[in-house]
Amino acid sequence: MSLRKYLSSRVFFAQLLAALLILAVLTYLFMHWLTFTTDHGHEITVPNLAKLTEEQVEDKLDELDLDYVLLDSVDYNSDYPKFSVVEQDPLPGAKVKEGRKVYIKINASGFSSVKIPDLIDKTYREAVPTLKALGLEEGTITYIPNLGKDMVLEIRFKGRNLKVGDRVLKASKIDLVLGDGKESYVEEVDSTAIPTEAIPVNE
């Protein structure tokens, strides 16, 4: 049988149809296998874990077939309960696959303490950034007579004077006593005082 006759024969068309059917079946099976292995189209929305305890996080993620990894604790944040989640990755709302790990950081049990730095004779502009870098807050500012204008003369906390090396909790408000740039206050004249000598009035 010549090639031309073979290509137009029923045998050729039957074999071609069989080959196409086999190819279609193989393609279908491959796509289903790929979908199964990659879990294509099945995504889980990461929940918001903020302010949950580690036990609550475990229960919530187990329900969603997700896992978690505790990275570390962070400095105490008063906006969150003790030992609750402060940070998470991926963020809430992210789409992930089954079995994905969510990394969390837990709030500490309380503020840690820091040492008071040497701020005496520093300027106000130098002192405040130093306090904030240590996690402390600026409290009340008081001025007293001193030639060193805006120079730190005393450091106070809740009414008591602090010295270098004293420890206070983070987020504490530190009061500063500054110089006003004057040597002393000028005594005010009492306008109600009676003059010692009367000034005669011309009649």
Side-chain angles (χ1 to χ4, degrees):
M1 182 183 296
S2 65
L3 179 61
R4 180 178 297 178
K5 288 184 178 181
Y6 172 72
L7 294 177
S8 60
S9 66
R10 291 182 178 180
V11 175
F12 170 74
F13 284 110
Q15 292 176 340
L16 179 61
L17 180 60
L20 291 175
L21 287 174
I22 293 172
L23 181 61
V25 170
L26 291 176
T27 301
Y28 175 81
L29 292 175
F30 175 75
M31 294 301 297
H32 272 263
W33 173 83
L34 188 63
T35 300
F36 176 78
T37 55
T38 60
D39 202 19
H40 179 71
H42 181 62
E43 294 181 324
I44 301 170
T45 301
V46 177
N48 186 1
L49 305 176
K51 300 184 178 182
L52 298 183
T53 64
E54 188 175 352
E55 292 77 12
Q56 291 172 326
V57 167
E58 184 174 8
D59 292 340
K60 191 161 191 172
L61 294 183
D62 278 347
E63 294 175 359
L64 298 172
D65 293 324
L66 297 176
D67 200 357
Y68 78 96
V69 175
L70 175 60
L71 293 178
D72 199 0
S73 61
V74 299
D75 288 340
Y76 180 69
N77 186 332
S78 58
D79 293 333
Y80 293 81
K82 297 177 181 180
F83 303 115
S84 68
V85 176
V86 176
E87 299 177 19
Q88 70 176 84
D89 181 35
L91 296 174
K95 302 292 185 180
V96 298
K97 298 294 178 61
E98 181 180 335
R100 172 66 186 271
K101 289 182 172 63
V102 180
Y103 298 89
I104 61 174
K105 291 185 179 181
I106 298 293
N107 198 20
S109 60
F111 289 115
S112 57
S113 64
V114 294
K115 288 184 178 180
I116 292 295
D118 186 4
L119 301 179
I120 302 300
D121 294 336
K122 302 290 185 183
T123 65
Y124 170 78
R125 289 188 177 182
E126 293 173 323
V128 171
T130 302
L131 292 175
K132 290 184 177 180
L134 293 171
L136 300 173
E137 298 181 12
E138 176 186 346
T140 303
I141 303 300
T142 305
Y143 288 90
I144 62 174
N146 190 280
L147 288 176
K149 182 173 176 57
D150 291 330
M151 184 175 292
V152 178
L153 304 176
E154 296 178 17
I155 309 169
R156 296 176 180 172
F157 175 64
K158 293 185 177 179
R160 66 182 179 91
N161 281 14
L162 297 175
K163 59 181 183 295
V164 177
D166 285 347
R167 302 191 75 94
V168 295
L169 294 178
K170 279 189 176 183
S172 296
K173 289 187 176 182
I174 304 302
D175 303 328
L176 300 176
V177 179
L178 309 178
D180 62 0
K182 301 175 183 178
E183 185 173 3
S184 62
Y185 288 118
V186 178
E187 294 183 0
E188 296 181 356
V189 177
D190 186 356
S191 60
T192 62
I194 300 175
T196 56
E197 295 182 5
I199 299 176
V201 178
N202 295 329
E203 295 182 357

